[in-house]
Amino acid sequence: MTTPACAPTTSVAGDMLCLDYECDHDRNDGEYCAEVAEERICDTHSTTVAAESGWGEITHAEPWPCQYDKAVAS
């Protein structure tokens, strides 16, 4: 059995209301709140816990480029 290739993905982190565009923080022209961050991670080697909303909470994020395996073309 072969190990799946590493695959990049973009994750977002921050206050749930900010992620849902419902925050009351200052915004710049309708963009995300300043408290929201985007990060490129390896989807293959990161750990996600499923949530009722259908969105998963990342409990371990493996940075990209991944050091575990050869990456697929991104």
Side-chain angles (χ1 to χ4, degrees), residues 3-30:
T3 303
C6 296
T9 192
T10 301
S11 67
V12 291
D15 183 279
M16 184 55 82
L17 292 175
C18 290
L19 296 175
D20 289 341
Y21 296 105
E22 297 175 2
C23 67
D24 58 359
H25 302 109
D26 291 332
R27 299 184 193 196
N28 291 331
D29 300 323

Side-chain angles (χ1 to χ4, degrees), residues 31-70:
E31 296 294 326
Y32 274 148
C33 301
E35 289 81 4
V36 173
E38 290 188 5
E39 181 180 6
R40 194 88 158 147
I41 63 172
C42 175
D43 189 49
T44 307
H45 293 103
S46 296
T47 306
T48 305
V49 177
E52 291 178 17
S53 66
W55 293 93
E57 178 180 344
I58 299 170
T59 57
H60 167 75
E62 188 62 38
W64 187 262
C66 187
Q67 302 300 309
Y68 283 97
D69 204 355
K70 293 183 179 179

